[in-house]
Amino acid sequence: PTLRAQIDRIDRELVTLIAERTGYIARAAEIKQQRSQVHDDARIEDVVAKVCVAARQHGIPAALVEPVWRTLIAQSIAYEFARFDKRA
């Protein structure tokens, strides 16, 4: 496979993983009792810190993955709020 084909394969795998992650976020929206539980600053920082450690362990700069994860988390929270609000 070409370099581009390998990158495309990885992109498809990432989408599959994001879909799996989103399924858990949808479930979280179903089980949380209060809307205020959806956004948790401490949890966000914990997730980002863990991802930065994992990035460094794989030899890539944390600065590369941190903005990606912050965007992923922000969009995930927005999705969870939308799911939570549909319950009402």
Side-chain angles (χ1 to χ4, degrees):
T2 66
L3 185 60
R4 284 185 180 174
Q6 292 291 9
I7 292 169
D8 290 346
R9 176 189 56 78
I10 291 168
D11 288 344
R12 289 188 302 273
E13 290 176 18
L14 287 170
V15 170
T16 299
L17 290 170
I18 291 169
E20 180 180 354
R21 187 181 194 279
T22 301
Y24 290 113
I25 291 164
R27 180 69 182 120
E30 293 171 8
I31 63 174
K32 289 183 179 170
Q33 298 297 312
Q34 298 176 356
R35 193 175 195 273
S36 62
Q37 294 174 297
V38 172
H39 186 268
D40 181 347
D41 286 327
R43 172 69 177 145
I44 292 167
E45 295 310 313
D46 180 57
V47 169
V48 170
K50 289 175 183 173
V51 166
C52 288
V53 168
R56 286 190 290 273
Q57 289 172 342
H58 282 86
I60 58 175
L64 179 68
V65 298
E66 183 175 350
V68 173
W69 252 261
R70 288 196 183 277
T71 299
L72 176 63
I73 291 167
Q75 293 300 313
S76 297
I77 289 169
Y79 177 78
E80 189 174 345
F81 271 130
R83 295 287 297 232
F84 186 91
D85 292 343
K86 284 184 180 179
R87 294 179 358 185

